[in-house]
Amino acid sequence: MTTSSTGAKDLAAAAPVSASAPATVEEAEAAWLAAQTLPDPEPALRALLHPDCVIVHSAVGHIHGVDDWLRYAVRLGRTSQVDTHDVTVQRFGTTAVVSCLQEMWVAFVPELAPFVIQAAVTRVWVRSPSGGWQLAHLQMARRLPPG
């Protein structure tokens, strides 16, 4: 098990988004976080998603497949920043589980300042047949600010 407090900006600098599946879990995480802040994140996010990925999120408990989640994410608004804290990576052969606390700055209304969403997040990465890593499951649970 590996624990880190590295922020998304540091990870993104270490591994930019690329068209091929990332070679390491750390590169996959960095690519995922960086892709969310792109002006058009859909192609980069789709490239990282396993075709059978399931995403469980929001206060009302949405369960989405890849296409439904990508449509939802576009409607949500632009994400300008994503930071992660207390990152833990557990490896189980061709599967890796990443757990962290995450903060996302999302502009639900473009004219207003971004809203900060805090969540406890689990991402399950699987090794693809090409040897890279793809996201197979994402679980996000919103959390209240500390204090």
Side-chain angles (χ1 to χ4, degrees), residues 5 11 33 36 61 76 80 87 95 99 101 111 119 127 130 135 141 143 147:
S5 60
L11 286 171
L33 298 172
Q36 292 180 67
L76 189 63
S80 60
V87 178
T95 303
S99 300
L101 299 178
E111 302 81 38
R127 189 171 295 281
S130 67
L135 188 64
R143 62 190 294 260

Side-chain angles (χ1 to χ4, degrees), residues 3 8 13 16 20 24 28 37 39 54 58 60 62 65 74 100 104 107 114 118 121 144-145:
T3 303
S20 62
T24 68
T37 63
V54 173
S58 90
V60 297
H62 288 299
V74 167
C100 64
M104 298 173 53
Q118 294 184 335
V121 178
L144 297 175

Side-chain angles (χ1 to χ4, degrees), residues 18-29 31 46-51 91 93-96 124-136:
S18 69
S20 62
T24 68
V25 174
E26 291 75 15
E27 288 175 3
E29 277 288 299
R46 184 179 293 280
L48 293 165
L49 292 165
H50 186 281
R91 299 170 198 281
T94 60
T95 303
V124 178
W125 296 92
V126 294
R127 189 171 295 281
S128 70
S130 67
W133 292 88
Q134 292 182 300
L135 188 64

Side-chain angles (χ1 to χ4, degrees), residues 17-82:
V17 176
S18 69
S20 62
T24 68
V25 174
E26 291 75 15
E27 288 175 3
E29 277 288 299
W32 178 258
L33 298 172
Q36 292 180 67
T37 63
L38 295 173
D40 179 15
E42 191 271 337
L45 292 172
R46 184 179 293 280
L48 293 165
L49 292 165
H50 186 281
D52 296 324
C53 183
V54 173
I55 295 135
V56 181
H57 64 102
S58 90
V60 297
H62 288 299
I63 300 174
H64 285 139
V66 171
D67 292 329
D68 288 338
W69 182 77
L70 288 170
R71 281 191 292 275
Y72 173 88
V74 167
R75 289 190 318 264
L76 189 63
R78 181 139 184 339
T79 300
S80 60
Q81 182 177 337
V82 180

